[in-house]
Structures are given as C-alpha cells and as structure tokens.
Amino acid sequence: MADIRRTIFAAVARNGIIGRDGDMPWRLSSDLKRFKALTLGKPVVMGRKTYDSIGKPLPGRPNVVISRQATINHPDVSMAQSLPEAMTAAERLALETGVDEICILGGGQVYAQAIGLADRMCITHVEADLDGDASFPAIDPYIWQAGEPIAVPAGEKDSYPTRFVVYERRHA
C-alpha cells in the first residue's frame, strides 16, 4: 500500500478549547481559506458532531463521517462506526483518487484517538483563551517537532489573530 500521510487539522485556543455548543467559538475567514487550499481533493475524516456543525459535506473532498448510530445519505459521504474503520475508508478513497494525504478534522473525541495515529498536524493557534466544551489534546514536544510559526494578524473577517504551525511526528 502506498504511504499515505495522516494529518490532523485543528484551530485551538491558547487554553486548548476547539469548540462550544457544537460550533467553533470564533470566526477565522483567513484560516478557512488556508484550510480549504490544504485539504481540497483529499479525503476528510470527522466525527458526526463536527459534520453536523458544518451542516453539509465539505465540497471537493471525499467525506468520511464517524458515527455509531446516525446514517448520512449523501453521495459525497461515507459512513464509519469507528476511527480505525474511517481511516481504512479514507485510505481507500485516497488511493482511488491518487492523493497521498488523509485530513482528520475532529472533533475532540476524534482528535484524542487520532493524535496517536497522525504523522503531521496543521494547527492554527488562536491567540485567545476562550470558554468551550470541546478541547484538543496536549501537544507533547517530545513527540511533535514544531515547524516555523506563521503569524497571521486578525483580518476584517477574523475574531482573533492566529499562529499557524505545522508539527511533524518525531521518529525514535
């Protein structure tokens, strides 16, 4: 099987918060543009709550949604009952479409399971401490090597300034 990179994409507040009441506690238009550019054409894996918060399949990407109960009847959505099942489906989709990366989009429960499987993380650090009910696991510097951060001042459609950092898994 071809070597397919598994990348986590997340926007994370300084205090680890990624969500509140089924939504993101910010508006980051400039970050969404980067996210779209980096994920277009690649399989995306997400939990059902994340899918519900988006409200529809992400266009231009095969969507794999993890849910033990719900079924989403949409031609651009594949269902999986667990993260391992979703990763297998996403790898198959990546091979079928000729791409070398799977994008893991959360939410909190999915990130907690996927951080052990990921090769790379594209993290938008939101420069704020926020209230929320979903969080991102701690990024262990012994496991993850941070690349050079890109500071992004808040644009007119952004709630906060951010720092975009790509983390690569350190290999023992």
Side-chain angles (χ1 to χ4, degrees):
M1 176 144 69
D3 203 19
I4 297 173
R5 184 164 61 190
R6 296 171 302 255
T7 303
I8 287 175
F9 286 83
V12 184
R14 277 194 296 248
N15 58 345
I17 292 299
I18 59 170
R20 178 175 57 227
D21 300 328
D23 201 0
M24 290 184 284
W26 48 67
R27 291 285 164 251
L28 298 171
S29 181
S30 53
D31 187 57
L32 289 174
K33 289 182 179 97
R34 176 183 27 241
F35 167 78
K36 182 178 180 181
L38 291 172
T39 62
L40 212 53
K42 300 170 185 171
V44 294
V45 173
M46 69 192 93
R48 183 196 49 78
K49 290 178 192 170
T50 298
Y51 177 85
D52 288 347
S53 78
I54 297 166
K56 63 183 195 306
L58 287 172
R61 291 154 274 209
N63 289 243
V64 181
V65 178
I66 304 165
S67 176
R68 284 182 286 283
Q69 291 93 22
T71 303
I72 298 161
N73 290 313
H74 192 286
D76 297 330
V77 176
S78 302
M79 295 300 301
Q81 299 224 332
S82 65
L83 180 63
E85 187 182 322
M87 296 304 285
T88 299
E91 284 176 11
R92 188 189 71 246
L93 289 162
L95 290 171
E96 286 172 7
T97 56
V99 297
D100 62 355
E101 186 173 35
I102 294 167
C103 306
I104 303 159
L105 310 185
Q109 293 173 3
V110 172
Y111 289 140
Q113 295 173 51
I115 198 165
L117 306 171
D119 307 300
R120 184 170 175 246
M121 295 191 296
C122 293
I123 305 296
T124 299
H125 293 279
V126 180
E127 302 291 4
D129 289 302
L130 299 165
D131 292 329
D133 52 24
S135 57
F136 194 81
I139 299 172
D140 185 337
Y142 291 105
I143 297 174
W144 296 100
Q145 171 72 46
E148 198 61 43
I150 300 167
V152 182
E156 62 182 52
K157 294 182 181 174
D158 299 327
S159 307
Y160 305 100
T162 61
R163 257 180 325 109
F164 180 71
V165 181
V166 176
Y167 294 84
E168 299 285 349
R169 180 177 292 280
R170 297 178 188 268
H171 295 287

